[in-house]
Amino acid sequence: MADDADFMERAYALARDSFEEGGLPIGAVLVRDGRVIGAGHNERIQKGDPIAHGEMACLRDAGRQRSYRDTTLYTTLSPCMMCAGTIVQFGIPRVVIGENRTFGGNEDFLRARGVEVTLLDDPRCKALMKRVIEERPQDWFEDIGAA
Amino acid sequence: MADDADFMERAYALARDSFEEGGLPIGAVLVRDGRVIGAGHNERIQKGDPIAHGEMACLRDAGRQRSYRDTTLYTTLSPCMMCAGTIVQFGIPRVVIGENRTFGGNEDFLRARGVEVTLLDDPRCKALMKRVIEERPQDWFEDIGAA
């Protein structure tokens, strides 16, 4: 879908902003009816906040929602177990993932719980992650609990 | 263990604080070497933050940790899928739960991933949750994605 590429572009721009701030380059947007209702990027470095993965910062930004049944979450990187658990808990029915080569493994967990998972395999998302892992590996491994 | 009851007392005090602020009464503390290194309570109502469950607010409060391998998380209420996923992602090896009568179901998910789960079945934790569900059911059901 053309829409998916457009919203991933928004998520990628947030990832790039975070990279330029010295943070981890993972961005996310939450979409309802073709409109972005929440947007965020990883803020572990910027705010010293270990739960602020891109998806979590995005959901926080969206604020309280009565339901997520009509939303799609776009994230530049495949969700970790925290973010995958949150997607299931919140009842988000569809997740579009930029890439899962750098980090992945929870796609089946999501699918088994009824979440539609679309993988774009976006080369720009991969290139940005590759760069941060090469330049600042300690930040990345701390973020995924592998320090 | 006497220690478990003491730390659950701390988590319960946070839950009660949240109740008195008009929020949801779920509190948590993170402990390392017999010392509280993070503490928090649910802040959905107080901050309009849907990811601020008690456990998440506590982990945010603890800030960046290189490792959680030597920590125990105490929570007054059994972790939802977001919080259970976070416990696994962060590699927290032990969780002590105040009660799982009001809400539960992720104990086996945690155990299957190597987390030691201790259930205290604390009557005060149950009584506080019972009261909020009776008095403000809409806040509670929104919080667990069942609104």
Side-chain angles (χ1 to χ4, degrees):
Chain A
M1 282 186 274
D3 277 357
D4 281 350
D6 292 345
F7 291 122
M8 188 55 67
E9 180 67 38
R10 301 280 288 274
Y12 176 75
L14 290 157
R16 209 179 38 208
D17 289 348
S18 183
F19 184 85
E20 284 163 14
E21 291 167 13
L24 291 160
I26 303 130
V29 294
L30 185 68
V31 172
R32 174 183 286 137
D33 294 335
R35 212 168 54 84
V36 172
I37 61 166
H41 59 63
N42 190 300
E43 295 177 319
R44 167 180 286 270
I45 309 295
Q46 292 95 321
K47 295 194 176 170
D49 183 349
I51 68 166
H53 278 194
E55 302 92 317
M56 305 300 280
C58 169
L59 291 167
R60 185 190 296 166
D61 181 62
R64 290 167 62 180
Q65 301 288 328
R66 193 160 183 81
S67 166
Y68 295 84
R69 269 167 290 201
D70 52 354
T71 63
T72 297
L73 182 68
Y74 293 80
T75 174
T76 57
L77 183 64
S78 188
C80 79
M81 194 67 251
M82 167 172 67
C83 298
T86 304
I87 289 161
V88 169
Q89 179 64 32
F90 283 27
I92 297 170
R94 183 167 183 254
V95 179
V96 181
I97 297 172
E99 66 112 343
N100 71 347
R101 304 290 181 94
T102 308
F103 179 87
N106 294 312
E107 296 83 1
D108 286 346
F109 168 87
L110 290 168
R111 290 193 184 105
R113 281 154 185 83
V115 181
E116 182 190 336
V117 177
T118 300
L119 184 62
L120 300 185
D121 204 30
D122 186 313
R124 293 172 318 158
C125 294
K126 277 185 276 191
L128 202 49
M129 283 305 301
K130 186 169 184 288
R131 196 171 151 196
V132 81
I133 293 170
E134 281 171 4
E135 294 179 10
R136 295 186 275 121
Q138 71 287 2
D139 290 348
W140 167 241
F141 290 115
E142 182 189 299
D143 194 59
I144 53 166
Chain B
M1 282 186 274
D3 276 358
D4 281 351
D6 293 345
F7 290 123
M8 189 54 68
E9 180 67 37
R10 301 279 289 272
Y12 176 75
L14 290 157
R16 209 180 37 209
D17 289 348
S18 184
F19 184 84
E20 283 162 15
E21 291 167 13
L24 290 160
I26 304 131
V29 295
L30 185 69
V31 172
R32 173 183 287 139
D33 295 335
R35 213 168 53 83
V36 171
I37 61 166
H41 59 63
N42 190 299
E43 295 177 318
R44 166 179 286 270
I45 309 294
Q46 292 94 322
K47 294 194 176 171
D49 183 349
I51 69 166
H53 279 194
E55 303 92 317
M56 305 300 280
C58 169
L59 292 167
R60 185 191 296 165
D61 182 62
R64 290 167 61 179
Q65 301 288 329
R66 194 161 184 79
S67 166
Y68 295 84
R69 268 166 292 200
D70 52 356
T71 64
T72 297
L73 182 68
Y74 292 79
T75 174
T76 57
L77 183 64
S78 188
C80 79
M81 193 67 250
M82 167 171 68
C83 298
T86 304
I87 289 161
V88 169
Q89 179 64 33
F90 283 27
I92 297 170
R94 183 168 182 252
V95 179
V96 181
I97 297 172
E99 65 113 342
N100 72 346
R101 304 289 180 93
T102 309
F103 180 87
N106 294 312
E107 295 83 1
D108 286 347
F109 168 87
L110 290 168
R111 290 193 185 104
R113 282 155 183 84
V115 180
E116 183 191 335
V117 177
T118 301
L119 184 61
L120 300 186
D121 203 30
D122 186 314
R124 294 171 317 158
C125 295
K126 278 185 276 190
L128 202 49
M129 284 304 300
K130 186 169 184 288
R131 196 170 153 197
V132 80
I133 293 170
E134 281 171 3
E135 293 179 11
R136 295 186 274 119
Q138 70 288 359
D139 290 349
W140 167 242
F141 290 116
E142 182 189 298
D143 194 60
I144 53 165

